[in-house]
Amino acid sequence: ARITNSVCPAGRATTGSVSLVLEATRGNSFINVVVDGKSVIKGSIFQGETKNFTGSTSVSLYLSNPAGVDVTHNGKLLSPLGGQNQEVRRTFR
């Protein structure tokens, strides 16, 4: 039992976690972030701000101005999720 308990959490932490970093590099955006099914933030991110989110299974994201925000998923910078003042919803696993 000891081996199982010590191996499982470490395995989940490295393979099962979802990391999302939002950087408002080119403008402000209204964001709504849901981590593992629970809403963690609903509000604005302003140019120059960075916000980090980590979940064990999923991070869902709503952006009102995806062109202004850099999104990094598990250490990889993604191309813009949409244009200026578009509304975008994405779920990362």
Side-chain angles (χ1 to χ4, degrees):
R2 284 186 182 173
I3 294 170
T4 303
N5 288 342
S6 64
V7 170
C8 286
R12 285 184 62 191
T14 54
T15 58
S17 65
V18 182
S19 163
L20 210 62
V21 180
L22 305 180
E23 290 182 82
T25 52
R26 293 172 301 281
N28 305 333
S29 181
F30 181 84
I31 62 173
N32 184 4
V33 180
V34 176
V35 176
D36 298 332
K38 294 182 180 170
S39 181
V40 293
I41 184 171
K42 188 182 277 188
S44 295
I45 183 171
F46 298 102
Q47 188 165 349
E49 280 189 316
T50 300
K51 299 201 182 283
N52 298 280
F53 304 96
T54 304
S56 57
T57 57
S58 69
V59 177
S60 296
L61 172 65
Y62 164 84
L63 290 172
S64 68
N65 180 23
V69 180
D70 284 339
V71 179
T72 303
H73 174 234
N74 290 346
K76 182 181 178 217
L77 180 63
L78 306 179
S79 55
L81 301 182
Q84 191 167 352
N85 298 322
Q86 283 185 323
E87 294 184 11
V88 174
R89 284 179 171 79
R90 289 282 296 272
T91 297
F92 299 90
R93 299 189 188 283

